[in-house]
């Protein structure tokens, strides 16, 4: 029986961690990834195994195309997918193993005036938030297109839709991710591969740790729902998109408590 496989980038904390746990509990084999937080990745592995799930650690910088190729070699070597067992593959072919679902979650924020931002800071935000999705999609697609099925879920932001003052690079990277989502959805629709994005609002993660209590309270008052979202809510929506009807593609789904 084919056990579905998912890669969640940036899965050592926050939304990525919640996604890894949600997919593991749903029966997926989860490839978990981070760049630096190996202790957290090890802890996540133990938690998944304790829940009765399965996972493989694939640490590495997904903003680096060479690292992404290495990660996908590990995924490919996880096992073969013979066509005799899979009606989605043309008869007589053996293809390298690959992903059923890709969750592009890796991301960092940068707060400050654009005029004060260095070249390196700009490149780091773009590589982590946008280029990483391109690199991972490029590696994941041959398997998905060959099998004529697959799901790509991009974790974006409401600021990619509306823009945020003092977060120009972050907003630009997420707007680019939204554009990639919509363009790639059209490109892959004939191959029955769906691409959607979740434009998250204020989620209660470490990314918002720079806010002090007064700032958090003021921001909370602006949100019609009256609270921050949780990583588990974002993960639940990601899992729903992985199992959604095939006609749902190219969508930027806002989950922001009604803020924008």
């Amino acid at each position: 029986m084919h056990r579905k496989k998912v890669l969640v980038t940036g899965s050592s904390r926050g939304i990525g961690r919640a996604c890894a746990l949600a997919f593991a509990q749903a029966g997926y084999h989860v490839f978990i990834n981070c760049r630096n937080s190996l202790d957290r990745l090890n802890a996540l592995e133990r938690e998944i195994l304790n829940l009765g799930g399965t996972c493989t650690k694939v640490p590495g910088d997904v903003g680096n195309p060479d690292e992404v190729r290495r990660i996908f070699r590990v995924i490919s070597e996880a096992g073969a997918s013979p066509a005799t067992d899979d009606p989605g593959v043309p008869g007589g072919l053996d293809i390298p193993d690959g992903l059923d679902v890709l969750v592009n979650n890796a991301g960092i924020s940068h707060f400050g005036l654009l005029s004060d931002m260095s070249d390196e800071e700009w490149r780091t935000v773009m590589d982590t938030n946008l280029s990483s999705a391109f690199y991972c999609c490029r590696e994941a697609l041959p398997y998905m297109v060959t099998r004529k099925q697959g799901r790509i879920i991009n974790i974006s932001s409401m600021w990619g839709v509306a823009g945020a003052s003092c977060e120009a690079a972050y907003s630009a990277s997420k707007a680019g991710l939204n554009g990639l989502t919509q363009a790639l959805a059209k490109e892959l629709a004939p191959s029955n591969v769906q691409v959607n994005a979740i434009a998250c609002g204020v989620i209660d993660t470490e990314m918002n740790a720079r806010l002090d209590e007064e700032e958090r309270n003021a921001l909370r008052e602006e949100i019609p729902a009256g609270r921050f979202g949780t990583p588990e809510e974002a993960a639940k929506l990601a899992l729903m998109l992985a199992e959604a009807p095939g006609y749902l593609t190219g969508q930027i789904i806002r989950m922001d408590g009604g803020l924008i």
Side-chain angles (χ1 to χ4, degrees):
M1 181 178 178
H2 178 72
R3 187 183 185 97
K4 289 185 177 181
K5 294 171 289 293
V6 58
L7 167 64
V8 182
T9 66
S11 47
S12 64
R13 65 186 72 192
I15 293 172
R17 180 180 180 279
C19 284
L21 290 169
F23 277 91
Q25 289 177 302
Y28 285 74
H29 181 84
V30 187
F31 292 90
I32 54 177
N33 159 266
C34 74
R35 182 174 58 183
N36 296 317
S37 304
L38 295 180
D39 289 344
R40 292 186 180 218
L41 203 67
N42 290 334
L44 175 61
E45 178 188 39
R46 289 192 296 270
E47 187 167 356
I48 289 174
L49 295 177
N50 288 338
L51 290 170
T54 64
C55 65
T56 301
K57 292 180 294 185
V58 283
D61 180 5
V62 290
N64 180 324
D66 292 330
E67 286 285 286
V68 171
R69 281 187 278 268
R70 179 187 58 78
I71 288 168
F72 273 83
R73 281 197 297 271
V74 174
I75 294 171
S76 177
E77 291 165 2
S81 295
T84 53
D85 295 334
D86 191 340
V89 178
L93 293 180
D94 288 337
I95 61 172
D97 207 3
L99 299 174
D100 298 278
V101 180
L102 168 63
V103 180
N104 287 309
N105 167 76
I108 57 172
S109 62
H110 181 90
F111 188 80
L113 296 174
L114 181 68
S115 56
D116 293 335
M117 193 173 195
S118 70
D119 296 346
E120 183 60 29
E121 288 170 333
W122 174 269
R123 282 194 296 268
T124 299
V125 171
M126 291 299 162
D127 285 347
T128 305
N129 295 2
L130 178 56
S131 295
S132 64
F134 160 66
Y135 299 142
C136 288
C137 287
R138 185 173 60 181
E139 296 300 316
L141 285 180
Y143 178 80
M144 292 182 177
V145 170
T146 299
R147 297 182 69 242
K148 291 197 177 297
Q149 62 184 53
R151 302 294 171 98
I152 297 171
I153 302 160
N154 295 322
I155 305 300
S156 186
S157 168
M158 64 180 179
W159 300 134
V161 177
S165 175
C166 294
E167 293 188 72
Y170 180 78
S171 299
S173 68
K174 293 301 187 178
L177 188 59
N178 291 346
L180 176 66
T181 298
Q182 293 175 315
L184 196 56
K186 292 179 179 179
E187 184 174 321
L188 295 176
S191 298
N192 192 37
V193 176
Q194 291 78 43
V195 189
N196 293 290
I198 302 172
C200 295
V202 185
I203 306 298
D204 199 6
T205 67
E206 292 180 28
M207 187 175 285
N208 293 308
R210 64 176 179 81
L211 301 173
D212 60 32
E213 194 59 31
E214 183 177 348
E215 290 171 324
R216 289 173 65 87
N217 290 335
L219 181 55
R220 193 178 292 111
E221 289 178 1
E222 295 181 26
I223 302 171
R227 64 177 180 86
F228 294 174
T230 69
E232 290 73 24
E233 287 175 308
K236 183 176 181 180
L237 181 52
L239 185 58
M240 289 172 63
L241 288 174
E243 304 292 344
Y247 206 56
L248 180 67
T249 193
Q251 302 305 303
I252 313 299
I253 302 172
R254 296 205 325 263
M255 193 183 77
D256 58 16
L259 184 55
I260 63 170

